Every structure is written in C-alpha cells, then in structure tokens.
Amino acid sequence: MESPILDRPKLSNDHAALQKTKRDVHLQCRHCGLPIPSGPWTWAAQDFCCSGCEAAYGLITGSGLGAYYEMARERRLNPAGEGARRERLQWFDDPDFLAKYARRSSDCRFSIRLALSGIHCAACVWLLEKLPQLVPGVNAARVAWAQSTIDLEWNTNATQLSRIAEVLNNLGYSPNPINEDSTRKAGQRENREQLIRLGVAGAAAGNNMLIAAALYLGMFSGMAGEIEQLLRLASAFVGVISLAWPGRIFLTGAIAALRTRTPHMDLPLALGLFLGTLGSIANAVRGVGEVYFDSISVLIFVLLLGRWIQSRQQRSAADAIDLLSRLTPRWTLRRTDDRFVEVPVALLRVDDIVQVRAGETIPFDGIVVTGCGFVDESVLTGESVALAKQVGDQVAAGTQNLRSALEIRALAVGIQTRIGRVAALVEDAARSKPKIVQWADRIGGQFVVIVMIIALLTLLYWSWFEPSHAIDRTMALLIVACPCALAMATPLAIAVALAQAARHRILIKGGDVLQRLSGTGTVWLDKTGTLTRGQMQMIDWYGDEKVQPIVAAIQSQSAHPIAIAMARDLSNLSAREAAFQSQIASVEQTSLGGIQAVYAGKIVQIGHRHFVENARAHGLDRFAEQVSRWLADGVTPVYVAVDRDVVAVAGVCDPLRADVQQSLDEIRRMGWSVGILSGDHRQIVAQVAKQLTIPANLANGELMPEDKVRLVQRGCENQTVVMIGDGVNDSAALAAASVGIAVRGGAETSLAAAPVYFAQEGLRDMVRLIRLARTTMRTIRWNFAASLSYNVLAVGLAATGHISPLLAAVLMPISSLSVVCISLMLPRDWSIDIPG
C-alpha cells in the first residue's frame, strides 16, 4: 500500500474530466485563461476578460500563431508536463533497464545505484535514508553524499522502481541511472547550482545590508516617512527573493519533513525564516514594527556558504580516494573480422577476444587463447611476483601484461570481474557512516523534536502573558536553535581530515579509522616491504660456482624480488649467461617460493628451503652450518638444486628502512605496542626484532596466512589491532584487523582488504595517521562542545525573551561559522616529518 502523503495531486484525464473542461471553457478568457468577471458588460460574448486580452488574441491569431492557444490549453489540462514525467519514470521498470543497471539477488529482490540531484547536506542524507519507512517494499536505502548517489534494495512484489523514483522526485531529488562519468558530471552540476544560489544569496544579503544601513542612519539623522517606507518595501522585495530562490532549499527540506513526518534539521530553521519573513512583510506594509530582511538574507547566505564548504570538502576527499575506477583501461583492441579494432572497454562482452600488448593492463577476467608471457598480479594479490601465463591459463582484470602480446577471451566483464567486486567492496566501506556520525545524527534528530516542543511552549506561554511578543520570541527561538552546527560538527571535521590525509597521499576509506586510531592498542607489522626496503640484495654465495651463470639466466626470466636481486648481482656473468640462455627451457614460477627450469636436460630448482624440500631435493645438510650463520645475521638462504641435489646456496638480505627505528619509537611513545607477523624464517624475524627493540614474544616468524589471521583476531577481542602489510599473505590479516593498512609495495587495490593505503614508503605515515586521528577527534569534541553550549544557552535566552529575532538572526550563523572555522583550522602539526 502506497503512502498517500507522498503523492502529488493527480490530474484525471478521463472522459468526464474533459467534458467538464469543455463545459467550463466559456467561463474562461480565451487569451489568458483566467475567469471572466461577472458584470453588466460583456466582451465578445464573454470570450475575454478585458479588451486588452481581446486585442492580444486578435494579434496572435491574425499572425498565424493560433497553435499557441492549443499548447496553452494542453498545459492547463496537464500542468508541468505531468504525463511526460510519469512516462519517463515508467522506464525504470523496463526489463532492459533493470538488466543493465540493477542487480538481482533473488526472484523478487533487486538492488540499484542511482544518481540524485539536490542532495545539499547531511539532513538530505538523513531524509533519503528514511525511504524504507516511506515506501513499503524498499528494504534499504544508503546515500553517498559526496558522490550524490543512493543505493536501493527493493522487493518487486511490493513496489516498483518507478514508484520509488516518483517518491524521490516528489521529495525534490531527481533520480537518474548511473553511467560512466555520470557521478562526476552530477557533482559538477550540483556544484554549479550551489555556487549560483550562493551568488544570489550574497547579492541579496549585500543589498539588504545597504538598505538596512540607510534605515539605521535615518533613525539618527532623520528621514522622510515616504522614503523610509520605500526602503522598507525594497528590503522586503529583496528579502523575499532571497528566501524564494536560494533559501528555498530550507523550505523544501521542511516540506519533505512534514510529508514524511520525520524531524528534519531544516524544519525549525525554515519555520523561523518563514515566520520572520511573514512578520517582517506585515510590519513593512503597515509601516510599523521591526523588519528583519537584512538579517534573514545574511543568515541564508552564511548557511549556504557553510553547506558549500562542507560539500566541497566531502567531494575533495571522495575524489582523492577514487582509485579503483582507474585500474582498468578505457580502451582496448578487440578482434573484429580477423583484425583488431580499438574500442571502449565498456562495450566488451563475454566471449570477446582482445589483444593485450606488453606493458598494457588486462581489461577483463579471461583466458589466454594465443601467446605466452608473464603477468603482474600485484593489483589483486599485493605480491610483486610475475606469474608465467600460457594458452589455457586464466588472467584477471586490472593485472598487467609484462612481456609479449597476449590474446585473451573474456569470461567476465565490468562489475562481474574480480576487480569489479573489489571496487564494490571499497565503495561499500566508503559509504558506511562512522559510529560517531550516526550518534550525532540521532542527537540532531532528538534536538529538533525538543526545539519544536520548546517553541510551542514558548508560544503558548507568551501568548497568555504577553501576546504582543509571542510571535517575535517564538521566531527568535526557532532561528537561533537550528541544529545545523550540531549536524555539521562531526562530518565536516572528518571530511577535512580525510582531505588533508589525501593531500599527504594517505588514503582513508572512512571516518571509523580515525575514531579507532585515536586510542591505543597493538600494531602488527609485516617484515618484507614494510620494515625492510623490499629491494633484495645477494650478499654471499656458498657452494658450486659453476652453476652461477645458469642461475643468473634462469632468474632473469622471473619478476620476483629475490630473482631480480640475484640476476642483477650476478650481472658480471652476463656474457656467459647469454651462452646458457638458449639451452634453458620450461621455466616455471610457482607460488611455493621458487622457480624451476630445464637446462641441458637437467632440472634446476632455485628457491626457499620448503620449495626444494617439497621437490624432494637432498643434500641440504651440507650447508646447514653456513645457513645458520646467515640466519643469525638476518640473511635469507636461497637454495640451488640440480637434478634434486642441492649444490649451492646464496645469501640474500633485505635491509631495514632508514626511518623504521625512529617511527616505531614514536608509535610506542604514543602508547601503542609493536610486533611482527612474518612468513620469513624465525631466526631472521628474531634478528630484525632485536635490531628494532621489539620484544621476543611479539616477533612471530614462519607464519602461514591463517596464522596471521588467528593472531590478529585474538587481539581484536579486547583492543584495537592495526595490521600493516603489503603482500598476498597479508590480505586476510588486513581485512581481519580493526584497522588494516596497506603500504607502498602492494598495489592501490590493497584498499579492498584494508581501509587505509599509504602511497609513500616507510612508516612515517603511520605516525602521521595516529596524530591526525587524535587531532580530528579533539576537533570533533571542540565542535560538539561549541555547538551544544551555543544551542543550550541560546534556546534558554530566546525562550525567556532575552534574544530578539534580529539578534537571533545574527547569532545563528555565528554558531555554524564557528564549527566551520574550528574544522577548517584542523592543526597541521600531525604531518610534521619524522627524523630519519
């Protein structure tokens, strides 16, 4: 059953209504359509209301423009294009539309994301998220204010999407399907509209202030009565324009609140502005009493300015973290009639075949049909290991082809790809509201109800004891008690913090991160690429030196950091390596920590101890003493086996980053414990922990991914746990932690598992982030204290008659400005560099 309160008045186009229109047409002027006044005179058999309309009608029809009246008549039968609007909304139920833009979760449950115009502030978000209470059948509505979008879930057995779209349109938020760049264009259009409203409000405020200055000066120097009355009427004219055009967004919010019976934050403000305007108009026309048009115009301008600043900060933060949309290419080469033609990726379909050249990004999930090469999958795994791909192997969208060209057949495109699902996860997390923002929303709604009750009691009290001041004091209370500052206090501070962090290349998905990091807990660190540089170096060799050129030749075909280091540090053997290159075949990079190839009919294996052991190699004990010395010094052993006989071992190490010690000391000074979770050898982890003064009980090595998850989850039971890493082994732990942080060395898509991404190397950003979190929470507390203190004090003074409407109009924007200023003056000392 649909809610009648949301329906606009519907016009009937049935036969009876048309017949009534025909019966009534002789009572209307044939030119202007207005009723013909009754009287002893008639104009052309009562076809016109006056001689002017008769003359205009003759001029128009005589010029051959009689069709104008047919169009005017049609507009009267169907005002504002109601039929066209309804016809457009019916497309939302079209099966092709739903197939393209909506997602089906069951037989009758669908979800969709729509772009909305007209989202101005947190109050709009609040109202739109009440949609499930307004339209039976809507299961969920989540608004992304910064993107001007809404995510809807609905049951088609209970309601249709066109009905939901009609309700949104009736509330003043025009819905549109999202296509490529639609969100960006909607944001630009909304920004232009905000600036136009702001400009008109500023002009109205400036002109009214000039008129007010003239009136105030006239009080002291004397002014003719007719001049004073003219200025008062001029002020009224400008004030009405200010309220009717730029200020109508407050009226729209209040009307929507009344329709939906929800305590919208615009309700007391709009009521105060409306009553103030009506009272001022009455006083201006009567020529007695105060007029407040200057204060009302300034109030509207300042409120719009605060909303524009808040909206700009929100969009800035959203743009800064919009990375996933750029991970797949916009154009690719698709096979068409035995040739490859460049086409937009958006046009690709399942089973299309594309050519991906060396260095290009793969546009979809698919299977290799021609060619072989290496693919960098760090975009999904966070591990810089290029995997060999040949015909029949699967590849994923967003990964990079490193070597030769590949022809790939599409298995999944767009949102159905792995990277598409990753993007959805990131966007869902970004739209989630921090608990502190949800709490502020609840406080704001309760405050609106309290203010309306106090306003009613104030009106009743003063109407009984002093009726002449009842309206003025009620109006003053409604104006001064608008909870806009309270509503802006938290989201504005968070938006500013996210934008500041983005400018320092710290990308944060949501305000919950700042709330969690403002306290203390445990920081778990991956070793490779986080504590260390992630740039391996081969520092020693022990065993048969004759295999060195073979090892160099094989390692040169891998993109693994250890392989790159060994191939580079054995570069003095490049001439001999080239001689062996042609004899190497069947190079296979595995995920077990090694590489295998065939040389002159012999199997050569290079890699971690577990890798050669799993390959049933023997002879490891011959190198046990040397390996023990290396492990004690933090050096990683890499074994070389020929036909499953270990013949040599190389010592490879990854030096610590220069800033690690200073950063960890600062983190500990801020009250956090620090530990290591690594898959590397226990002795190496222990050596690194010793260098960094990390307690032995917090240095964990030889961990499998599930071991890291278990340790992280155990800690999350009673404290905040931060996990910092960059590899595939870290992704599950990043997702399980209270706050997961992906560092440079993985890819930007680490945001899928972690709500924070450091685009710069090292741990300096961890120190900065903790400082930013604490600074932001301190700013939020200041904002709450300022706005709540103001509202409590102002409401008390207004209710007792100590604040006039004029003073209320001056004080009200000051409270919002104070919150804006406190938020925008967020201290920059959180970003001070760390020594080292």
Side-chain angles (χ1 to χ4, degrees), residues 212-267:
L215 287 171
Y216 293 147
L217 290 174
M219 293 172 58
F220 299 101
S221 60
M223 178 182 292
E226 58 272 16
I227 299 298
E228 180 182 358
Q229 182 64 10
L230 178 62
L231 289 176
R232 289 162 68 93
L233 293 176
S235 180
F237 176 74
V238 176
V240 169
I241 291 177
S242 179
L243 182 63
W245 186 355
R248 75 172 180 268
I249 65 170
F250 305 115
L251 302 179
T252 302
I255 293 172
L258 295 175
R259 284 178 172 176
T260 59
R261 298 183 178 90
T262 56
H264 199 294
M265 297 179 188
D266 279 346
L267 187 57

Coordinates of all heavy atoms in Angstrom, one line a residue, residues 212-267:
A212 N 19.5 48.4 5.0 CA 19.5 48.5 6.5 C 20.3 49.6 7.0 O 19.9 50.3 8.0 CB 19.9 47.1 7.1
A213 N 21.5 49.8 6.4 CA 22.4 50.8 6.9 C 21.7 52.2 6.7 O 21.8 53.1 7.5 CB 23.7 50.8 6.1
A214 N 21.1 52.3 5.5 CA 20.4 53.6 5.3 C 19.2 53.8 6.3 O 19.1 55.0 6.8 CB 19.8 53.6 3.9
L215 N 18.5 52.8 6.6 CA 17.4 52.9 7.6 C 17.9 53.2 9.0 O 17.4 54.1 9.7 CB 16.6 51.6 7.6 CG 15.7 51.3 6.4 CD1 15.1 49.9 6.5 CD2 14.6 52.4 6.4
Y216 N 19.0 52.6 9.4 CA 19.6 52.9 10.7 C 20.1 54.3 10.8 O 20.0 55.0 11.8 CB 20.7 51.8 11.0 CG 20.2 50.4 11.2 CD1 21.0 49.3 10.8 CD2 18.9 50.2 11.7 CE1 20.5 48.1 10.9 CE2 18.5 48.9 11.9 CZ 19.2 47.8 11.5 OH 18.8 46.6 11.6
L217 N 20.8 54.7 9.7 CA 21.3 56.1 9.7 C 20.2 57.1 9.8 O 20.3 58.2 10.4 CB 22.2 56.4 8.5 CG 23.5 55.6 8.5 CD1 24.2 55.8 7.2 CD2 24.4 56.1 9.6
G218 N 19.0 56.8 9.1 CA 17.9 57.6 9.1 C 17.3 57.8 10.5 O 16.6 58.8 10.8
M219 N 17.4 56.8 11.3 CA 16.9 56.9 12.7 C 17.6 58.0 13.5 O 16.9 58.6 14.3 CB 17.1 55.5 13.4 CG 16.2 54.4 12.8 SD 16.7 52.8 13.6 CE 16.3 53.2 15.3
F220 N 18.8 58.3 13.2 CA 19.6 59.3 13.9 C 19.5 60.7 13.2 O 19.5 61.7 13.9 CB 21.0 58.8 14.1 CG 21.1 57.6 14.9 CD1 21.4 56.4 14.2 CD2 21.0 57.5 16.2 CE1 21.5 55.2 14.9 CE2 21.1 56.4 16.9 CZ 21.4 55.2 16.3
S221 N 19.6 60.7 11.9 CA 19.7 62.0 11.2 C 18.3 62.4 10.7 O 18.2 63.6 10.2 CB 20.7 61.8 10.0 OG 20.2 60.8 9.1
G222 N 17.3 61.6 10.7 CA 16.0 61.9 10.3 C 15.8 61.5 8.8 O 16.7 61.6 8.0
M223 N 14.6 61.0 8.5 CA 14.3 60.6 7.2 C 12.8 60.7 6.9 O 12.0 60.5 7.8 CB 14.7 59.1 7.0 CG 14.4 58.5 5.6 SD 14.8 56.8 5.5 CE 16.6 56.9 5.6
A224 N 12.5 61.2 5.8 CA 11.1 61.4 5.4 C 10.3 60.0 5.5 O 10.9 59.0 5.1 CB 10.9 62.0 4.0
G225 N 9.1 60.1 5.9 CA 8.3 58.9 6.1 C 8.2 58.1 4.8 O 8.3 56.8 4.9
E226 N 7.9 58.8 3.7 CA 7.7 58.1 2.5 C 9.0 57.4 2.0 O 8.9 56.3 1.4 CB 7.1 59.0 1.4 CG 8.0 60.2 1.1 CD 7.7 61.4 1.9 OE1 7.1 61.2 3.0 OE2 8.1 62.5 1.5
I227 N 10.1 58.0 2.3 CA 11.4 57.4 1.9 C 11.7 56.2 2.7 O 12.1 55.1 2.2 CB 12.6 58.4 2.0 CG1 12.3 59.6 1.1 CG2 13.9 57.7 1.7 CD1 12.3 59.2 -0.4
E228 N 11.4 56.3 4.0 CA 11.6 55.2 4.9 C 10.7 54.0 4.5 O 11.2 52.8 4.5 CB 11.3 55.6 6.4 CG 11.5 54.4 7.4 CD 11.2 54.8 8.8 OE1 10.8 56.0 9.0 OE2 11.2 54.0 9.7
Q229 N 9.5 54.3 4.2 CA 8.5 53.2 3.8 C 9.0 52.6 2.5 O 8.9 51.4 2.3 CB 7.1 53.8 3.6 CG 6.1 52.7 3.2 CD 5.9 51.7 4.3 OE1 6.4 51.8 5.4 NE2 5.2 50.6 4.0
L230 N 9.5 53.4 1.5 CA 10.0 52.9 0.3 C 11.2 51.9 0.5 O 11.3 50.8 -0.1 CB 10.4 54.0 -0.7 CG 11.0 53.6 -2.0 CD1 10.0 52.8 -2.8 CD2 11.5 54.8 -2.8
L231 N 12.1 52.3 1.4 CA 13.3 51.5 1.7 C 12.8 50.2 2.4 O 13.4 49.1 2.1 CB 14.3 52.2 2.6 CG 15.0 53.3 1.9 CD1 15.9 54.1 2.9 CD2 15.9 52.8 0.8
R232 N 11.8 50.2 3.3 CA 11.4 49.0 3.9 C 10.7 48.1 2.9 O 10.9 46.8 3.0 CB 10.3 49.4 5.0 CG 11.0 50.1 6.2 CD 9.9 50.8 7.1 NE 9.0 49.9 7.7 CZ 9.2 49.4 9.0 NH1 10.2 49.7 9.7 NH2 8.3 48.6 9.5
L233 N 10.0 48.6 2.0 CA 9.4 47.8 0.9 C 10.4 47.2 0.0 O 10.3 46.0 -0.4 CB 8.3 48.5 0.1 CG 7.1 49.0 0.9 CD1 6.2 49.8 0.0 CD2 6.3 47.7 1.4
A234 N 11.5 48.0 -0.3 CA 12.6 47.5 -1.1 C 13.3 46.3 -0.4 O 13.7 45.3 -1.0 CB 13.5 48.6 -1.5
S235 N 13.5 46.5 0.9 CA 14.1 45.5 1.7 C 13.3 44.2 1.7 O 13.8 43.1 1.6 CB 14.4 45.9 3.1 OG 15.0 44.9 3.9
A236 N 12.0 44.4 1.8 CA 11.1 43.2 1.7 C 11.2 42.5 0.4 O 11.2 41.3 0.3 CB 9.6 43.7 2.0
F237 N 11.2 43.3 -0.7 CA 11.3 42.7 -2.0 C 12.6 41.8 -2.2 O 12.5 40.7 -2.6 CB 11.3 43.8 -3.1 CG 11.5 43.3 -4.5 CD1 10.5 42.7 -5.2 CD2 12.7 43.5 -5.1 CE1 10.7 42.2 -6.5 CE2 12.9 43.0 -6.4 CZ 11.9 42.4 -7.1
V238 N 13.7 42.4 -1.8 CA 15.0 41.6 -1.8 C 15.0 40.4 -0.9 O 15.5 39.4 -1.2 CB 16.2 42.6 -1.5 CG1 17.5 41.8 -1.5 CG2 16.3 43.7 -2.5
G239 N 14.4 40.6 0.3 CA 14.4 39.5 1.3 C 13.5 38.3 0.8 O 13.9 37.2 1.0
V240 N 12.4 38.7 0.1 CA 11.5 37.6 -0.4 C 12.2 36.8 -1.5 O 12.2 35.6 -1.6 CB 10.2 38.2 -0.9 CG1 9.4 37.2 -1.7 CG2 9.3 38.7 0.3
I241 N 13.0 37.6 -2.4 CA 13.8 36.9 -3.4 C 14.8 36.0 -2.8 O 15.0 34.8 -3.2 CB 14.5 37.9 -4.3 CG1 13.4 38.7 -5.2 CG2 15.5 37.3 -5.2 CD1 14.0 39.8 -6.0
S242 N 15.5 36.4 -1.7 CA 16.5 35.6 -1.1 C 15.9 34.3 -0.5 O 16.5 33.2 -0.6 CB 17.1 36.4 0.0 OG 18.1 35.6 0.7
L243 N 14.7 34.4 0.1 CA 14.1 33.2 0.6 C 13.5 32.3 -0.5 O 13.6 31.1 -0.4 CB 13.0 33.6 1.6 CG 12.2 32.5 2.3 CD1 13.2 31.7 3.2 CD2 11.1 33.0 3.2
A244 N 12.9 32.9 -1.5 CA 12.2 32.2 -2.5 C 13.1 31.5 -3.5 O 12.8 30.4 -4.0 CB 11.2 33.1 -3.3
W245 N 14.3 32.0 -3.7 CA 15.3 31.4 -4.6 C 16.4 30.6 -3.9 O 16.3 29.4 -3.7 CB 15.8 32.4 -5.6 CG 16.7 31.8 -6.7 CD1 17.0 30.5 -6.8 CD2 17.2 32.5 -7.8 NE1 17.8 30.3 -7.9 CE2 18.0 31.5 -8.6 CE3 17.2 33.8 -8.2 CZ2 18.6 31.8 -9.7 CZ3 17.9 34.1 -9.4 CH2 18.6 33.1 -10.1
P246 N 17.4 31.2 -3.4 CA 18.5 30.4 -2.8 C 18.0 29.8 -1.5 O 18.5 28.7 -1.1 CB 19.6 31.5 -2.5 CG 18.9 32.8 -2.5 CD 17.8 32.7 -3.5
G247 N 17.1 30.4 -0.8 CA 16.6 29.9 0.5 C 15.6 28.8 0.4 O 15.2 28.3 1.5
R248 N 15.1 28.5 -0.8 CA 14.0 27.5 -0.9 C 14.5 26.1 -0.5 O 13.6 25.3 -0.3 CB 13.4 27.6 -2.3 CG 14.3 26.9 -3.4 CD 13.5 26.9 -4.7 NE 14.2 26.2 -5.7 CZ 15.0 26.9 -6.6 NH1 15.1 28.2 -6.5 NH2 15.7 26.3 -7.5
I249 N 15.8 25.9 -0.5 CA 16.3 24.5 -0.2 C 15.9 24.2 1.3 O 15.6 23.1 1.6 CB 17.8 24.3 -0.4 CG1 18.6 25.2 0.5 CG2 18.1 24.6 -1.8 CD1 20.1 24.9 0.4
F250 N 15.9 25.3 2.1 CA 15.5 25.0 3.5 C 14.0 24.8 3.6 O 13.5 23.9 4.4 CB 15.8 26.3 4.4 CG 17.3 26.7 4.3 CD1 17.6 27.9 3.7 CD2 18.3 25.8 4.8 CE1 19.0 28.2 3.6 CE2 19.6 26.2 4.7 CZ 19.9 27.4 4.1
L251 N 13.2 25.5 2.8 CA 11.8 25.3 2.7 C 11.4 23.9 2.2 O 10.5 23.2 2.7 CB 11.1 26.3 1.9 CG 11.3 27.8 2.3 CD1 10.6 28.7 1.4 CD2 10.8 28.0 3.8
T252 N 12.2 23.5 1.2 CA 12.0 22.1 0.6 C 12.3 21.0 1.6 O 11.5 20.1 1.7 CB 12.9 21.9 -0.6 OG1 12.7 23.0 -1.6 CG2 12.7 20.6 -1.3
G253 N 13.3 21.2 2.4 CA 13.6 20.2 3.4 C 12.6 20.2 4.5 O 12.2 19.1 5.0
A254 N 12.0 21.4 4.8 CA 10.9 21.4 5.8 C 9.7 20.7 5.3 O 9.0 20.0 6.0 CB 10.7 22.8 6.3
I255 N 9.3 21.0 4.0 CA 8.1 20.4 3.5 C 8.3 18.9 3.4 O 7.4 18.1 3.7 CB 7.9 21.0 2.1 CG1 7.5 22.4 2.2 CG2 6.8 20.2 1.3 CD1 7.4 23.2 0.8
A256 N 9.5 18.4 3.0 CA 9.7 17.0 3.0 C 9.6 16.4 4.4 O 9.1 15.2 4.6 CB 11.1 16.7 2.4
A257 N 10.1 17.1 5.4 CA 9.9 16.6 6.8 C 8.5 16.5 7.2 O 8.1 15.5 7.8 CB 10.7 17.6 7.7
L258 N 7.7 17.4 6.8 CA 6.2 17.3 7.1 C 5.6 16.2 6.4 O 4.7 15.5 6.9 CB 5.6 18.7 6.7 CG 6.0 19.9 7.6 CD1 5.4 21.2 7.0 CD2 5.7 19.7 9.1
R259 N 6.0 16.0 5.1 CA 5.4 14.9 4.3 C 5.7 13.5 4.9 O 4.9 12.6 4.9 CB 5.9 14.9 2.9 CG 5.2 16.0 2.0 CD 5.9 16.0 0.6 NE 5.2 16.8 -0.3 CZ 5.6 17.1 -1.6 NH1 6.6 16.5 -2.0 NH2 4.9 17.9 -2.3
T260 N 7.0 13.4 5.3 CA 7.4 12.1 5.8 C 7.3 11.9 7.3 O 7.7 10.9 7.8 CB 8.9 11.9 5.4 OG1 9.7 13.0 6.0 CG2 9.1 11.9 3.9
R261 N 6.9 13.0 8.0 CA 6.8 13.0 9.5 C 8.1 12.6 10.2 O 8.1 11.8 11.1 CB 5.6 12.1 9.9 CG 4.2 12.5 9.3 CD 3.2 11.5 9.8 NE 1.8 11.9 9.4 CZ 1.3 11.5 8.2 NH1 2.0 10.7 7.5 NH2 0.1 11.9 7.9
T262 N 9.2 13.2 9.7 CA 10.5 12.9 10.3 C 11.0 14.3 10.8 O 10.8 15.3 10.2 CB 11.5 12.3 9.3 OG1 11.6 13.2 8.2 CG2 11.0 10.9 8.9
P263 N 11.8 14.3 11.9 CA 12.3 15.5 12.5 C 13.5 16.0 11.7 O 14.7 15.9 12.1 CB 12.7 15.1 13.9 CG 13.0 13.7 13.8 CD 12.1 13.1 12.8
H264 N 13.3 16.5 10.5 CA 14.3 17.1 9.6 C 15.0 18.3 10.3 O 14.3 19.1 10.9 CB 13.7 17.5 8.3 CG 14.7 17.6 7.1 ND1 15.6 18.6 7.1 CD2 14.8 16.9 6.0 CE1 16.4 18.5 6.0 NE2 15.9 17.4 5.3
M265 N 16.3 18.4 10.1 CA 17.0 19.5 10.7 C 16.7 20.9 10.1 O 17.0 21.9 10.7 CB 18.5 19.2 10.6 CG 19.0 18.0 11.4 SD 20.7 17.7 11.3 CE 20.8 16.0 12.0
D266 N 16.1 20.9 8.9 CA 15.8 22.2 8.3 C 14.4 22.7 8.8 O 14.1 23.8 8.6 CB 15.7 22.0 6.8 CG 17.0 22.1 6.1 OD1 18.0 22.5 6.8 OD2 17.1 21.7 4.9
L267 N 13.7 21.8 9.6 CA 12.3 22.2 9.9 C 12.3 23.5 10.8 O 11.6 24.4 10.5 CB 11.7 21.0 10.6 CG 10.2 21.2 11.0 CD1 9.4 21.6 9.7 CD2 9.6 20.0 11.6

